[in-house]
Amino acid sequence: MAEHVEVMLSEDEIGQRIRKIGERISKDYEGKSVHLICILKGASFFMCELAKRITVPVSIDFMSLSSYGSSTESAGVVSIKKDIEEPLDGRHVIVVEDIVDTGRTLKYLKELLKDRGAADVKLCALLDKPDRRVVDVEADYIGFKIPDEFVVGYGLDYDQRYRNLPYIGAVKFD
Ligand code: IMP
Ligand code: MG
């Protein structure tokens, strides 16, 4: 099926918003350090930009999960494909996600990382599609609330394509 992508959020808008979130986090965690856990692959672009805007000490780790197959519909089950490498004991964790859709991924992660000994776990997502929520979970830091449309770019993919777009765009099926 052919498709095209329409710009929803420009590179500039995204950059400015990330700067703001970085300032907020830097204030909220004053006197502490934060441990960012980036959810691969989608959140990698966001995490890099965000980390650069945080002024308290930052450490990073990566995790890869699957809840989506290769289409635009969630499989509904979350499993770990690649686990974090650093211990979490006593750390102030912020999970960095590209988008909160059904909310299953973030809910699963919040409980898992708390159980593993983090001092606290907050959730930060570049995008939020509140209309799609299936489980009760709220991100603590959100870039943009968007309508229920399938989006790509800035790390997000459609069948592994479009991650490299410097903006967020809605996929339109022709
Ligand atoms: P959740 O567990 O349903 O909240 O799933 C979130 C994950 O689904 C995200 O990390 C994305 O990988 C994927 N996802 C959800 N909506 C979109 C979208 O519009 N475009 C690309 N990926 C999406
Ligand atoms: Mg993802």
Side-chain angles (χ1 to χ4, degrees):
M1 203 197 302
E3 79 267 349
H4 70 279
V5 178
E6 283 175 12
V7 179
M8 182 185 275
L9 298 162
S10 71
E11 186 172 12
D12 248 31
E13 277 177 275
I14 299 167
Q16 282 174 30
R17 186 70 191 123
I18 293 177
R19 204 173 280 267
K20 283 262 150 50
I21 299 174
E23 284 169 11
R24 269 274 311 281
I25 290 176
S26 305
K27 260 195 201 130
D28 292 353
Y29 288 83
E30 218 178 296
K32 300 177 192 161
S33 51
V34 291
H35 189 58
L36 304 181
I37 297 184
C38 171
I39 308 307
L40 294 170
K41 303 168 189 169
S44 54
F45 291 61
F46 174 41
M47 206 266 308
C48 291
E49 293 308 309
L50 179 65
K52 288 190 277 182
R53 305 298 167 209
I54 296 175
T55 52
V56 299
V58 169
S59 53
I60 62 176
D61 207 342
F62 297 89
M63 193 168 193
S64 177
L65 302 159
S66 69
S67 75
Y68 256 63
S70 59
S71 79
T72 58
E73 277 305 307
S74 174
V77 189
V78 182
S79 63
I80 300 177
K81 289 200 287 187
K82 180 221 172 293
D83 211 339
I84 48 172
E85 293 173 0
E86 317 279 334
L88 294 182
D89 313 271
R91 279 178 145 157
H92 304 291
V93 170
I94 302 179
V95 175
V96 183
E97 240 304 28
D98 49 7
I99 187 166
V100 193
D101 187 36
T102 64
R104 286 191 183 101
T105 308
L106 280 186
K107 184 164 187 158
Y108 168 83
L109 275 174
K110 188 155 191 168
E111 283 158 18
L112 178 81
L113 301 178
K114 269 232 166 100
D115 283 352
R116 289 184 176 182
D120 43 71
V121 180
K122 292 215 170 162
L123 309 173
C124 176
L126 178 60
L127 304 173
D128 183 15
K129 283 199 270 194
D131 297 346
R132 294 261 310 165
R133 205 60 39 83
V134 173
V135 298
D136 186 27
V137 65
E138 279 298 322
D140 302 279
Y141 304 97
I142 290 168
F144 303 90
K145 283 197 198 295
I146 61 165
D148 180 11
E149 290 195 65
F150 196 79
V151 290
V152 292
Y154 222 89
L156 291 123
D157 74 304
Y158 171 53
D159 270 349
Q160 298 305 322
R161 289 177 296 140
Y162 302 118
R163 291 194 196 275
N164 59 314
L165 296 179
Y167 53 85
I168 299 284
V171 180
K172 304 286 178 185
F173 297 94
D174 304 314

